[in-house]
Amino acid sequence: MSTPVLILNGPNLNLLGQREPETYGRETLQDVAARCAGVAEDLGLSVELRQSNHEGQLIDWIQEARTEAAGIIINPGAYTHTSIAILDALNAYEGPVIELHISQVHRRESFRHQSYVSRRADAVMAGVGVHGYDLALRHIATLLA
Ligand code: DQA
């Protein structure tokens, strides 16, 4: 049985590949999902990648993960910088949590330097581009081993 990992993506990440490609690259979220599925298989994980533009939906999925997923990789998008509710949901989750940003948020506007999610995350990855999803999967596999 492979270990289930949930990869959550917040607002505007459905536009990956079209949105500000100089910052986020040209790969789509579907491309990312396909690559993650391959990497996960090699690692003995099963991944489900989801995206929502809605804070409440992300919170519902985090709550569901309490019984359904062994670990969470989350790119909360702009909710990173604003959402105490997502932090609270992650605090109620017991497995490993990796926070991921495609861009190097600390080199960008100062409002992107603060993250509520980092208060809970076991690891934070930023600026590796979409390749960060693969690396996060590899890291969560070690945390779950
Ligand atoms: C992001 C960085 C956030 O500041 C931004 O709001 C996003 C994407 C990233 O992946 O680099 O939507 O999380």
Side-chain angles (χ1 to χ4, degrees):
M1 258 290 279
S2 49
T3 309
V5 169
L6 185 61
I7 305 180
L8 289 181
N9 293 276
N12 300 305
L13 287 159
N14 55 313
L15 295 181
L16 201 60
Q18 303 167 40
R19 164 199 190 204
E20 302 177 72
E22 63 291 350
T23 302
Y24 298 113
R26 298 219 173 258
E27 274 191 56
T28 66
L29 202 57
Q30 287 69 30
D31 297 332
V32 171
R35 228 197 12 260
C36 283
V39 173
E41 201 181 329
D42 292 345
L43 295 166
L45 306 175
S46 65
V47 281
E48 194 165 325
L49 185 145
R50 298 182 190 167
Q51 187 278 332
S52 177
N53 291 329
H54 305 279
E55 188 176 21
Q57 176 65 85
L58 293 162
I59 291 164
D60 286 346
W61 284 338
I62 293 166
Q63 290 187 7
E64 193 185 301
R66 285 159 46 85
T67 52
E68 303 298 322
I72 297 177
I73 296 167
I74 181 165
N75 182 347
Y79 288 142
T80 307
H81 319 298
T82 62
S83 181
I84 297 169
I86 288 178
L87 171 64
D88 285 349
L90 289 169
N91 279 335
Y93 177 76
E94 289 188 350
V97 173
I98 300 184
E99 176 184 350
L100 183 153
H101 302 285
I102 297 165
S103 65
Q104 211 296 49
V105 281
H106 299 287
R107 213 167 60 180
R108 299 180 66 194
E109 304 96 322
S110 56
F111 58 81
R112 295 186 205 278
H113 299 175
Q114 126 81 12
S115 166
Y116 285 107
V117 172
S118 291
R119 291 174 171 266
R120 165 62 180 87
D122 298 294
V124 181
M125 194 170 289
V128 190
V130 290
H131 183 50
Y133 287 86
D134 309 18
L135 297 180
L137 272 173
R138 289 183 197 286
H139 186 58
I140 215 159
T142 23
L143 295 177
L144 290 169

